[in-house]
Amino acid sequence: MKNLHTIIVVLFLCFGCKSPEARLPESVQSGSFLKESAERNIKLNEKEKSLIQEIIKNNPDKDYIASESGFWYYYNTKIENDTLQPQFGDLVDFDYNVSDINGTEIYGNANRTYIMDKQELFTGLREGLKLMKPEERVTFIFPSQKAYGYYGDEDKIGTNIPLICEVTLNTITQEND
């Protein structure tokens, strides 16, 4: 019996004290997800740009301007003599309507006050307001990545929806006033 215990202890010491071995991962991750996501986004962007170009082509009476930020707009009412435009921290009061790319109204006749770059507002509208002067009315066309993107607004605007927004900038109250 003593020999059996000795054999068990010797076997345990020989095989139980083995150095740890690195385990292989169960699945190998590659950059394929990111590549596929980028490809999907490029295709989506091209599709939306094509839709927007079609809208512009079908409205030759509008003088569309392509912004440096990746959206398009035209002036319904342009103020030439005023130079005041919203800056960081300024309080702006504006009215707006939001429609999908087909012109179906999503939000109508809304009013909002917003502190420039200090409160939440979707990227395109925040950048669009910076181009405006008091009492101007501008119609913006935002591709989905400049609007609410993948998440939507969790209410009426779904995933990857390009938007048309008509905005009237009522007032600008400068931060240092």
Side-chain angles (χ1 to χ4, degrees):
M1 185 78 168
K2 188 175 182 183
N3 284 339
L4 181 63
H5 280 75
T6 305
I7 293 173
I8 291 175
V9 169
V10 169
L11 286 175
F12 179 72
L13 290 174
C14 290
F15 295 107
C17 295
K18 195 165 100 171
S19 64
E21 292 180 18
R23 298 185 323 181
L24 297 175
E26 292 180 17
S27 65
V28 177
Q29 295 288 331
S30 68
S32 65
F33 173 77
L34 293 177
K35 285 181 184 177
E36 290 170 8
S37 178
E39 289 171 11
R40 274 193 312 273
N41 286 336
I42 289 169
K43 288 178 185 174
L44 175 66
N45 190 305
E46 289 171 357
K47 178 183 172 190
E48 289 178 5
K49 189 174 181 178
S50 175
L51 287 170
I52 292 168
Q53 293 300 327
E54 190 67 27
I55 289 172
I56 292 170
K57 183 179 136 190
N58 291 335
N59 292 290
D61 57 321
K62 309 289 187 208
D63 187 19
Y64 283 91
I65 301 166
S67 77
E68 294 177 6
S69 301
F71 58 86
W72 292 260
Y73 64 100
Y74 66 88
Y75 288 91
N76 302 76
T77 305
K78 184 167 178 67
I79 305 297
E80 298 290 344
N81 56 359
D82 197 346
T83 59
L84 181 64
Q85 290 178 296
Q87 303 296 319
F88 179 85
D90 290 349
L91 178 69
V92 295
D93 177 76
F94 63 96
D95 298 322
Y96 65 104
N97 297 316
V98 179
S99 303
D100 66 17
I101 199 78
N102 299 315
T104 305
E105 189 174 88
I106 300 172
Y107 295 111
N109 299 320
N111 177 268
R112 174 142 186 213
T113 55
Y114 168 70
I115 301 174
M116 292 300 297
D117 299 324
K118 289 187 175 183
Q119 293 177 310
E120 289 294 318
L121 191 64
F122 70 87
T123 305
L125 187 52
R126 183 175 61 242
E127 293 168 358
L129 284 168
K130 291 177 184 178
L131 301 172
M132 298 179 70
K133 299 173 187 169
E135 299 181 22
E136 283 187 330
R137 192 172 60 143
V138 177
T139 299
F140 297 98
I141 302 177
F142 300 114
S144 63
Q145 72 269 16
K146 287 292 178 179
Y148 286 94
Y150 179 75
Y151 294 103
D153 73 345
E154 299 177 359
D155 188 17
K156 294 182 178 182
I157 300 172
T159 299
N160 296 325
I161 304 294
L163 299 176
I164 299 174
C165 295
E166 186 178 295
V167 180
T168 302
L169 181 56
N170 300 318
T171 60
I172 300 172
T173 305
Q174 293 180 306
E175 180 181 32
N176 57 4
D177 284 355

